[in-house]
Amino acid sequence: MAIGKDSINSVIGPGSIFEGKFYIAGSLRIDGKFEGDIKTEDALVIGETGKVKTNISAREVIVSGTLIGNIKAENEVKLEGTGRMLGDITAPYLELQKGVVAKGSITITGGQKKDVRKIVEESFGGIKSLDTKD
């Protein structure tokens, strides 16, 4: 996941505060503070100084700052060493760097469309759900 400066078409800069809905067709970088709703068809980058409180729906997400909220990514999520996160992640691929602090549940789909629980259970040999008591 290489997101260069040329591919970022919207920025909430350091020292800026934005509250509300931000729906964008391109990519977004947040180095300031954001609270509200974000939806992008492309990449979302939370820089080291970024502080974000929202649920994210994006193609790719990079977290180098602080995020409180859930991530649903079409391709990949990368939590960099300076990243701090409180929330759940659902994505085909996840990269964690040394130093990340995070709490939440993670669902890695490996690009599969099928239910992850069913994939693992079928791989094991058709076991009964682990959540039920017999």
Side-chain angles (χ1 to χ4, degrees):
M1 179 180 354
I3 300 171
K5 290 185 178 187
D6 295 336
S7 66
I8 301 288
N9 62 344
S10 295
V11 176
I12 298 174
S16 299
I17 298 173
F18 185 98
E19 292 183 19
K21 295 180 180 181
F22 206 120
Y23 300 153
I24 182 171
S27 56
L28 172 64
R29 179 178 179 95
I30 302 172
D31 291 314
K33 190 171 185 179
F34 178 91
E35 246 185 277
D37 294 325
I38 295 177
K39 190 176 277 190
T40 177
E41 297 172 0
D42 206 348
L44 174 69
V45 178
I46 300 172
E48 285 189 38
T49 59
K51 297 181 185 328
V52 176
K53 188 174 186 180
T54 186
N55 291 324
I56 297 170
S57 176
R59 183 172 49 82
E60 298 173 345
V61 179
I62 298 175
V63 179
S64 300
T66 302
L67 170 65
I68 298 175
N70 301 323
I71 297 174
K72 184 171 184 175
E74 291 177 32
N75 290 347
E76 184 177 5
V77 174
K78 180 177 181 182
L79 301 180
E80 296 193 330
T82 54
R84 306 290 180 253
M85 183 178 167
L86 184 60
D88 300 337
I89 298 172
T90 302
Y93 308 101
L94 173 64
E95 180 182 332
L96 294 171
Q97 291 185 349
K98 186 176 182 177
V100 167
V101 175
K103 181 172 175 111
S105 71
I106 298 173
T107 302
I108 305 300
T109 65
Q112 301 289 319
K113 300 293 182 200
K114 203 171 178 182
D115 179 61
V116 173
R117 176 181 292 273
K118 287 182 181 180
I119 292 170
V120 175
E121 288 175 349
E122 287 172 3
S123 175
F124 191 78
I127 64 168
K128 291 183 182 179
S129 176
L130 299 174
D131 292 338
T132 61
K133 292 184 180 182
D134 293 317

